[in-house]
Amino acid sequence: MGNVIIFMAVAVLTVVVIGYTLALAKKPAEAAKRGAVIAGVVAAVLIVLGLYLGLVWAPTERMMGDSYRIMYIHFPSWVGTAAGYLVAFIASIAYLRTRDQGYDYVAASAAEIGLLFNATGLVTGALWGRPTWGVYWTWDPRLTTTAIMAITFAGYLVLRAFIEDPEARARVSSLVAIVGFVNVPIVYFSVRWWRTLHQVQSSPETVDSPMVWALRTMMVAFLFLFLYLLISRYMLARIRGEEELEAVRLEVASE
Amino acid sequence: MSGDVRRAMALLHKDLLTERRSKASFNAMAFFAAMVLFIFSFALGPDSPNMTAGEGQTLLQYLWPGLLWVAIFFTGVLALGRSFQVEMESGGMEALRIYPGDKKAVFAGKLAANLVTLAAMELILIPVSAILYNIDLWTKIPALMGIMFMGSLGFAAVGTFYAALTANLRARDVMLPVLVFPVLVPIVVAAVKATTLIVRGDPMGEMWTWIRIMLLIDIVLLTVCTLTFEFAIED
């Protein structure tokens, strides 16, 4: 029963965070800045708390020793990755429907932050895999899928750098984000038919409860970290975008 | 509906006619494909009889399904990258955009033209590679054709879609493979696996699973690309 309540709370929190990021496109700069400060403070407090719980309070794992503690960064990174790509996907659809540049800023920022967490997850995973599985890398479905995701959204960001016209860039890159995101489950299921080595996700029942609480704290902390980074990156994208539009306007005016 | 079919057919006819008269991209592709096959045998050879992978198979024979598909994808991405070049250079993109009717017809026409080009290339690539690597395919031709078609269909769908997206990009030649190949991963996995099962036999009866996976991939990719294509060729 307790688990159900926690699960619901996390789900609601996730939906609120994602909804907030999408609403950014319509928010005035002041409100967005205030949001960034709040999210940043909450993230900092929770990360300090979560690291204390994870590194000090939680017991050493029987099989893996202390090396398992990297999971307090590894798992939460995937929360940030999933949130980032999901927001990029939804914002891309919203852009194509509304043609509001704000959604393009949200999508680009979310893809970038998602890629950051994705890279963190891959690196911590490789570091964890070496002592636990004996290899840095294996062609497991989840590993392969996350690597392909990283390549897809790295391609997305590279593509954006090559297009000068803001509207064409927003349109083309949102299509790339949509197709790339839809492809993720297909990659997962097609690679799944290969030999699999990855541990099945531990359900809370198989993990000691201090570990669960430390992990939950870190996951929520990373969700807020994601929010903080995203709002900050979004504000930057907006300033750059407005500058770009201003330059276009000046060019048109001088002709 | 019939109007859209007619429009798609007209576009297909136009593209094939241009290709038949210039033969530019087909010739380049055929030579590139042959070159890729040679490079593989240099990179993985020399193919001496004592170096075997599995019973009675040389390394190249063992790897043939994978090498074949890599050659198809590398060569194909060059061809697909050119699928909107004629229009770009002659200003025909505007014409495609103001074409009456659904933009899905434009996608269907371009896709069909690309499929024919890919099929023509595969018709050269498969026998030549089978001869070079010494693989007996005679009894397996019908099954192989089915797999080739399904693999090429997904490839052409994604390729045509991204070719339209990147058509007026400065770094088109770099960006197209960068964008296409991550999306192609499921097709690579399924197509290579299915081709391997055809060549090496299917003792576990896995073939049907891979065919279903490929069909699913094709359907998803075709649907997404068709539905969003009208945004891809906007200006």
Side-chain angles (χ1 to χ4, degrees):
Chain A
M1 190 60 207
N3 279 333
V4 175
I5 294 170
I6 292 164
F7 178 78
M8 293 300 287
V10 171
V12 169
L13 183 66
T14 312
V15 170
V16 168
V17 166
I18 289 173
Y20 181 83
T21 58
L22 291 168
L24 273 176
K26 302 272 180 223
K27 273 205 168 39
E30 289 310 310
K33 272 181 202 151
R34 220 176 312 125
V37 172
I38 296 170
V41 169
V42 174
V45 170
L46 284 177
I47 285 176
V48 171
L49 176 68
L51 285 180
Y52 171 78
L53 292 179
L55 300 183
V56 182
W57 185 58
T60 303
E61 215 264 346
R62 194 160 48 87
M63 304 292 284
M64 290 185 268
D66 275 326
S67 73
Y68 92 93
R69 290 181 199 274
I70 202 170
M71 83 174 184
Y72 297 119
I73 303 291
H74 179 70
F75 291 148
S77 298
W78 298 122
V79 175
T81 313
Y85 294 156
L86 185 62
V87 170
F89 173 66
I90 301 174
S92 294
I93 294 175
Y95 173 79
L96 285 180
R97 292 188 153 259
T98 62
R99 302 294 164 133
D100 181 345
Q101 285 288 329
Y103 287 119
D104 179 53
Y105 305 150
V106 173
S109 314
E112 207 172 299
I113 308 297
L115 184 60
L116 179 78
F117 281 113
N118 196 340
T120 315
L122 285 174
V123 171
T124 51
L127 291 178
W128 192 12
R130 181 70 183 145
T132 322
W133 296 338
V135 287
Y136 287 109
W137 185 261
T138 152
W139 295 101
D140 159 271
R142 255 172 284 170
L143 270 73
T144 312
T145 308
T146 49
I148 298 295
M149 257 170 13
I151 297 171
T152 306
F153 281 90
Y156 169 91
L157 294 174
V158 173
L159 177 73
R160 292 185 65 89
F162 277 120
I163 311 178
E164 274 114 33
D165 176 32
E167 274 175 26
R169 179 174 54 216
R171 177 175 56 82
V172 170
S173 57
S174 55
L175 288 171
V176 172
I178 292 170
V179 176
F181 188 84
V182 170
N183 193 46
V184 168
I186 310 181
V187 173
Y188 179 78
F189 284 109
S190 61
V191 182
R192 206 174 131 176
W193 292 87
W194 293 10
R195 186 175 58 93
T196 181
L197 187 69
H198 200 292
Q199 183 184 10
V200 184
Q201 286 110 320
S202 307
S203 59
E205 286 77 37
T206 67
V207 182
D208 200 17
S209 85
M211 293 182 189
V212 173
W213 279 106
L215 197 55
R216 280 177 184 152
T217 314
M218 282 307 277
M219 285 189 168
V220 175
F222 266 51
L223 203 56
F224 278 98
L225 178 64
F226 164 77
L227 191 58
Y228 166 70
L229 290 173
L230 184 77
I231 301 173
S232 312
R233 183 65 187 80
Y234 165 78
M235 291 309 292
L236 181 64
R238 191 150 107 176
I239 293 167
R240 278 190 191 155
E242 273 157 14
E243 217 168 70
E244 224 171 40
L245 288 179
E246 193 56 36
V248 172
R249 246 175 252 133
L250 285 175
E251 216 170 274
V252 171
S254 68
E255 265 167 20
Chain B
M1 185 60 210
S2 72
D4 282 338
V5 173
R6 226 175 44 240
R7 279 184 271 273
M9 291 305 288
L11 202 55
L12 170 66
H13 180 247
K14 190 266 307 171
D15 271 6
L16 292 182
L17 194 64
T18 330
E19 185 51 41
R20 193 172 66 87
R21 290 190 178 154
S22 70
K23 297 184 194 68
S25 87
F26 185 75
N27 285 345
M29 259 167 52
F31 281 111
F32 183 80
M35 208 52 237
V36 170
L37 291 178
F38 275 110
I39 293 287
F40 280 145
S41 49
F42 292 136
L44 302 169
D47 221 2
S48 61
N50 0 341
M51 223 176 70
T52 54
E55 69 276 19
Q57 280 186 319
T58 65
L59 195 57
L60 281 176
Q61 284 170 336
Y62 183 77
L63 294 175
W64 179 76
L67 298 180
L68 175 71
W69 278 103
V70 170
I72 289 173
F73 286 130
F74 281 6
T75 319
V77 84
L78 290 181
L80 295 176
R82 295 199 51 82
S83 45
F84 288 89
Q85 259 0 77
V86 177
E87 276 89 351
M88 286 307 291
E89 281 155 18
S90 62
M93 277 308 250
E94 284 306 316
L96 283 188
R97 278 185 205 114
I98 59 176
Y99 226 44
D102 208 325
K103 293 288 166 291
K104 293 180 184 74
V106 176
F107 182 68
K110 282 287 176 189
L111 176 64
N114 280 334
L115 258 181
V116 173
T117 322
L118 279 180
M121 180 194 61
E122 283 159 11
L123 276 181
I124 295 180
L125 199 55
I126 294 171
V128 171
S129 66
I131 290 168
L132 283 179
Y133 300 172
N134 207 0
I135 292 161
D136 186 17
L137 283 180
W138 280 116
T139 52
K140 294 147 187 166
I141 288 174
L144 194 60
M145 275 169 67
I147 297 299
M148 284 292 149
F149 174 74
M150 284 198 286
S152 309
L153 181 63
F155 176 36
V158 182
T160 311
F161 179 76
Y162 276 129
L165 270 187
T166 54
N168 47 6
L169 228 63
R170 270 180 296 137
R172 183 181 61 238
D173 303 324
V174 189
M175 279 322 293
L176 184 63
V178 167
L179 296 174
V180 166
F181 284 131
V183 182
L184 285 185
V185 167
I187 304 181
V188 177
V189 172
V192 171
K193 197 74 192 175
T195 314
T196 311
L197 291 176
I198 290 177
V199 177
R200 239 172 276 162
D202 182 15
M204 309 288 284
E206 296 166 86
M207 194 59 177
W208 184 231
T209 316
W210 287 106
I211 288 176
R212 273 186 305 188
I213 292 175
M214 275 229 272
L215 274 177
L216 182 77
I217 298 170
D218 281 354
I219 290 169
V220 172
L221 291 179
L222 269 175
T223 313
V224 176
C225 292
T226 312
L227 289 181
T228 50
F229 184 74
E230 57 179 307
F231 300 111
I233 59 165
E234 259 177 46
D235 191 31

